[in-house]
């Protein structure tokens, strides 16, 4: 083999001897070129860096710019490109806080086509993407719904009134006029108190998207309820029967009253069934909140791919986590404890919890106004519109399969907890961590001394032979540390607080902590305020935000001349 023993072959590794080969004897070369080759030969070997050492960003190699930092790039036309801004869809908000949009971009975001090559021709299949609709729904989740408690008390009173009637008579050729009075009895409804409290004010946690399970009845693009049944490797869509729909409505009402998450399916309604745990206030599913085989984005694509004239996508916002039935009963008992015996109504209402996406055509836009529907009902035209929407192929369809859930409380897995660990073991481990952290921060707050400072500050040896017996630090003050917890340093005060045992429980994954406000805590916070509102016969239309608002208003309500 050539050059293996001598190592002077040009086929050897060029990075071992330089980037160019040595010139052979007798070869003619110019002086400068020979000097250049000698300099390259004397340079140390620098092998190329491996490919993995290149910096990456998002899976692609980042190429370093050759432009100096002080250079300013200017386009050829002298204008910089505009900054990226998200698309703002056209919509309006109803009086109840619901959002309605007929923006065409949300109905047909982008069209794509796939070509299939056949033997003698090419088949094209086209569809629409729902990216803009999906982004609009995600943006809508940033505006949470409002959970309002309304308490209304009325009673009926029987009253009397004197009514005067006039009459005209004709007796032959004589005309006469007369009047007579009559006492009438009537019943009138008197409102004793009527007030509202904003329950969701500063109490809602981060939302999460959810979808309806495949086996549950729902509007999936038609005007009837349907469900998806697993048929081998595919899903078969079938219309549900009236008995199934009635049972599902009862289950939905039970979930709202019990504080269950909206994605809890009907199959898990038994506390002893598989995949469910029972925890005082209701059932908590162990599975994910996306119960459907399709995601929210897939349903948005399905809606945009439809060409129906009166199609509609409904995105529902749900507040869950509290046992509303038990809370309503507690409020009723509280109001009756004030010796109120009238007709009492205590209800929880959710406003601003719907987002409607409808096509951009004159018929769909007209039907979005209630007064147009009323006019069509009076003129008996709306029944024909309903028949077209219900039975026509390109008439109408409803997608009501997804939404956002806002918990008032939820269980969150504690960091550092392991499966099989109980609450006592977890609390002991946390106490040890807090004690160690506090000791480390206290040691870090001690003043540091150099060796020269220590030698210069050494005292003279005492008669006892102990050089530190006179100036030995004996208190925390000599270490410049506070002696009482009230004057602790900021480093010590910033220690994390230990979790409350009543908010911890054992789960298959370890220990979970309850985050949020419990319904009992809220009731204890508002108990005195609700009783005061009932006793003062309060009537106001705007919701009350804080208990302090009522205390400030009612401070002098019982004084003579306070109301004028």
């Amino acid at each position: 083999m050539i050059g293996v023993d001598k190592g002077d072959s040009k086929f050897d590794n060029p990075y071992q001897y330089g980037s160019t080969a040595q010139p052979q004897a007798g070869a003619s070369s110019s002086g400068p070129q020979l000097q250049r080759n000698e300099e390259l030969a004397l340079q140390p070997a620098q092998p190329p860096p491996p490919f993995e050492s290149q910096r990456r960003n998002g899976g692609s190699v980042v190429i370093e710019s050759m432009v100096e930092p002080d250079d300013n790039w200017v386009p050829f036309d002298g204008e910089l490109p505009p900054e990226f801004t998200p698309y703002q869809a056209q919509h309006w908000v109803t009086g109840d806080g619901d959002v309605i949009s007929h923006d065409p971009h949300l109905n047909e975001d982008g069209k794509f086509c796939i070509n299939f090559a056949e033997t003698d021709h090419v088949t094209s299949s086209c569809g629409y993407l729902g990216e803009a609709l999906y982004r609009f729904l995600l943006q809508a989740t940033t505006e949470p719904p409002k959970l309002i408690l309304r308490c209304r008390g009325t009673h009926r009173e029987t009253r009397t009134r004197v009514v005067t009637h006039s009459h005209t008579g004709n007796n032959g050729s004589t005309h006469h006029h007369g009047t007579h009075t009559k006492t009438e009895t009537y019943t009138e409804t008197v409102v004793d108190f009527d007030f509202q409290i904003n329950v969701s004010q500063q109490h809602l946690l981060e939302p999460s998207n959810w979808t309806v399970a495949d086996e549950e009845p729902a509007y999936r693009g038609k005007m009837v309820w349907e469900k998806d049944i697993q048929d081998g490797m595919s899903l078969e869509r079938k219309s549900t029967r009236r008995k199934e729909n009635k049972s599902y409505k009862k289950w939905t009402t039970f979930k709202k009253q019990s504080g269950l998450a909206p994605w809890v399916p009907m199959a898990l309604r038994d506390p002893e069934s598989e995949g469910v745990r029972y925890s005082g206030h209701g059932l908590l599913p162990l599975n994910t909140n996306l119960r459907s085989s399709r995601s929210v984005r897939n349903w948005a694509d399905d809606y945009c791919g439809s060409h129906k004239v009166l199609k509609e996508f409904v995105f529902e916002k749900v507040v869950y986590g509290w046992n509303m039935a038990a809370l309503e009963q507690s409020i009723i008992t509280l109001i009756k404890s004030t010796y109120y015996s009238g007709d009492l109504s205590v209800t929880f209402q959710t406003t601003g919890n719907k987002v409607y996406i409808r096509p951009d055509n004159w018929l769909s836009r007209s039907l979005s106004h209630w007064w147009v529907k009323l006019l069509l009902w009076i003129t008996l035209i709306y029944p024909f519109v309903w028949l077209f929407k219900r039975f026509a192929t390109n008439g109408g369809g409803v997608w009501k399969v997804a939404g956002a859930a806002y918990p008032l409380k939820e269980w969150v897995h504690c960091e550092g907890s392991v499966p099989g660990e109980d609450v006592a073991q977890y609390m002991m481990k946390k106490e040890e961590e807090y004690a160690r952290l506090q000791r480390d921060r206290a040691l870090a707050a001690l003043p540091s001394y150099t060796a020269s400072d220590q030698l210069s500050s050494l005292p003279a040896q005492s008669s006892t032979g102990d050089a530190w017996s006179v100036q030995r630090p004996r208190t925390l003050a000599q270490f410049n540390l506070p002696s009482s917890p009230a004057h602790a340093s900021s480093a010590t005060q910033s220690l994390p607080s230990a979790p409350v045992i009543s908010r911890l429980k054992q789960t298959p994954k370890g220990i979970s902590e309850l985050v949020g406000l419990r319904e009992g805590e809220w009731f204890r916070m508002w108990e005195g305020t609700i009783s005061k509102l009932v006793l003062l016969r309060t009537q106001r239309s705007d919701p009350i935000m804080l208990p302090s608002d009522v205390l400030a208003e009612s401070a002098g309500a019982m004084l003579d001349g306070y109301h004028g």
Side-chain angles (χ1 to χ4, degrees):
M1 186 176 293
I2 301 175
V4 173
D5 296 334
K6 296 182 181 181
D8 56 355
S9 173
K10 66 179 180 179
F11 296 102
D12 292 339
N13 187 1
Y15 302 104
Q16 184 177 357
Y17 300 99
S19 58
T20 57
Q22 294 287 344
Q24 299 180 0
S28 61
S29 61
S30 60
Q33 181 65 27
L34 179 60
Q35 183 179 2
R36 174 61 177 169
N37 293 339
E38 291 177 355
E39 293 176 355
L40 293 176
L42 294 177
Q43 292 181 355
Q46 296 290 338
F51 179 77
E52 290 79 3
S53 65
Q54 300 291 333
R55 294 192 303 168
R56 295 171 176 262
N57 185 9
S60 59
V61 178
V62 178
I63 302 177
E64 298 292 344
S65 176
M66 302 302 294
V67 182
E68 295 296 332
D70 54 349
D71 293 343
N72 295 325
W73 177 80
V74 180
F76 64 92
D77 56 355
E79 296 182 1
L80 295 175
E83 296 181 359
F84 173 78
T85 56
Y87 178 73
Q88 301 293 336
Q90 299 177 359
H91 65 278
W92 75 85
V93 181
T94 63
D96 296 334
D98 297 336
V99 178
I100 300 178
S101 176
H102 291 272
D103 195 292
H105 196 54
L106 301 182
N107 289 270
E108 298 178 357
D109 185 9
K111 185 177 181 180
F112 67 95
C113 296
I114 302 177
N115 298 326
F116 300 93
E118 303 291 343
T119 55
D120 54 348
H121 64 282
V122 177
T123 304
S124 179
S125 178
C126 300
Y128 290 90
L129 298 175
E131 179 66 22
L133 174 57
Y134 178 65
R135 295 295 176 184
F136 181 77
L137 296 178
L138 292 181
Q139 183 181 1
T141 58
T142 58
E143 186 67 25
K146 294 181 180 180
L147 181 62
I148 305 298
L149 166 65
R150 183 176 183 182
C151 300
R152 177 182 172 89
T154 59
H155 71 275
R156 300 180 67 85
E157 294 183 357
T158 301
R159 301 178 179 180
T160 58
R161 58 187 174 187
V162 178
V163 181
T164 302
H165 297 276
S166 60
H167 59 87
T168 302
N170 187 2
N171 187 9
S173 60
T174 306
H175 297 277
H176 63 275
H177 301 276
T179 60
H180 70 278
T181 59
K182 181 180 179 181
T183 303
E184 294 182 352
T185 303
Y186 67 98
T187 304
E188 183 179 3
T189 300
V190 180
V191 178
D192 298 322
F193 57 87
D194 188 1
F195 58 89
Q196 303 178 23
I197 298 176
N198 191 339
V199 180
S200 59
Q201 177 73 10
Q202 301 176 353
H203 294 323
L204 296 181
L205 302 178
E206 291 295 329
S208 57
N209 293 335
W210 59 275
T211 55
V212 180
D214 294 335
E215 64 274 8
E216 293 187 356
Y219 289 103
R220 306 176 187 269
K222 293 184 178 180
M223 295 300 299
V224 295
W225 284 10
E226 299 175 304
K227 64 180 180 179
D228 292 334
I229 302 176
Q230 189 71 29
D231 185 11
M233 299 299 294
S234 61
L235 291 175
E236 182 182 0
R237 185 164 297 177
K238 293 183 178 180
S239 300
T240 56
R241 296 175 297 177
R242 181 177 299 178
K243 184 178 180 180
E244 295 179 81
N245 299 340
K246 186 177 180 180
S247 177
Y248 181 72
K249 289 180 180 179
K250 291 182 178 179
W251 171 244
T252 303
T253 304
F254 174 77
K255 285 193 297 184
K256 293 181 178 179
Q257 292 294 324
S258 303
L260 299 181
W263 57 79
V264 178
M266 293 181 60
L268 306 182
R269 53 189 169 186
D270 187 4
E272 302 298 331
S273 61
E274 184 180 357
V276 171
R277 61 177 179 267
Y278 186 78
S279 60
H281 68 279
L283 306 178
L284 295 178
L286 297 177
N287 48 359
T288 179
N289 50 351
L290 298 177
R291 293 282 303 167
S292 175
S293 57
R294 293 187 177 188
S295 62
V296 181
R297 169 62 194 272
N298 298 140
W299 286 116
D301 295 340
D302 189 33
Y303 170 81
C304 292
S306 175
H307 298 281
K308 294 183 177 181
V309 179
L310 296 177
K311 64 179 182 178
E312 181 181 59
F313 193 96
V314 182
F315 190 79
E316 185 177 5
K317 304 176 185 179
V318 180
V319 179
Y320 74 98
W322 285 2
N323 193 331
M324 294 299 179
L327 186 56
E328 286 181 7
Q329 188 61 37
S330 300
I331 297 174
I332 292 175
T333 305
L334 174 63
I335 295 177
K336 289 184 177 180
S337 65
T338 61
Y339 301 100
Y340 181 76
S341 58
D343 298 330
L344 182 59
S345 172
V346 176
T347 57
F348 285 93
Q349 304 172 355
T350 306
T351 60
N353 61 330
K354 296 290 181 59
V355 179
Y356 298 96
I357 310 299
R358 294 165 182 168
D360 183 25
N361 56 69
W362 66 271
L363 181 58
S364 179
R365 284 183 175 271
S366 301
L367 295 178
S368 294
H369 301 282
W370 66 269
W371 57 270
V372 175
K373 282 187 176 181
L374 179 61
L375 183 61
L376 293 177
W377 272 112
I378 296 175
T379 57
L380 300 180
I381 298 177
Y382 189 79
F384 297 97
V385 176
W386 185 88
L387 292 175
F388 168 76
K389 185 178 180 180
R390 172 65 176 82
F391 296 103
T393 305
N394 62 338
V398 180
W399 281 260
K400 197 174 181 180
V401 289
Y406 299 79
L408 289 163
K409 64 178 181 182
E410 62 179 349
W411 292 96
V412 180
H413 179 71
C414 297
E415 184 179 358
S417 179
V418 295
E421 186 179 30
D422 58 9
V423 176
Q425 295 173 350
Y426 178 77
M427 289 297 297
M428 292 178 60
K429 182 173 64 176
K430 281 297 180 182
E431 288 178 359
E432 293 177 357
E433 292 179 0
Y434 292 150
R436 184 171 60 254
L437 181 59
Q438 186 175 4
R439 183 176 62 253
D440 294 342
R441 293 189 177 184
L443 292 176
L446 292 176
S448 59
Y449 299 97
T450 61
S452 59
D453 295 338
Q454 294 177 1
L455 292 176
S456 61
S457 61
L458 285 176
Q461 187 172 359
S462 63
S463 60
T464 59
D466 188 1
W468 292 97
S469 60
V470 179
Q471 298 184 3
R472 178 183 299 163
R474 299 180 182 274
T475 62
L476 292 176
Q478 296 180 5
F479 282 107
N480 296 326
L481 293 178
S483 58
S484 62
H487 300 84
S489 61
S490 59
T492 307
Q493 292 179 353
S494 60
L495 288 173
S497 58
V500 183
I501 298 181
S502 60
R503 286 180 168 264
L504 298 178
K505 75 172 183 178
Q506 186 178 4
T507 62
K509 295 183 179 180
I511 304 300
S512 296
E513 183 179 4
L514 184 63
V515 179
L517 189 67
R518 293 176 289 185
E519 53 265 45
E521 297 172 343
W522 180 91
F523 180 77
R524 184 172 64 250
M525 184 189 308
W526 285 86
E527 185 176 5
T529 305
I530 294 176
S531 300
K532 188 180 294 294
L533 290 172
V534 173
L535 293 174
L536 295 177
R537 300 295 189 259
T538 304
Q539 298 186 28
R540 52 185 298 176
S541 58
D542 56 316
I544 304 172
M545 298 298 180
L546 298 173
S548 58
D549 299 342
V550 180
L551 296 177
E553 293 179 2
S554 60
M558 305 302 295
L559 299 177
D560 184 19
Y562 178 80
H563 297 286

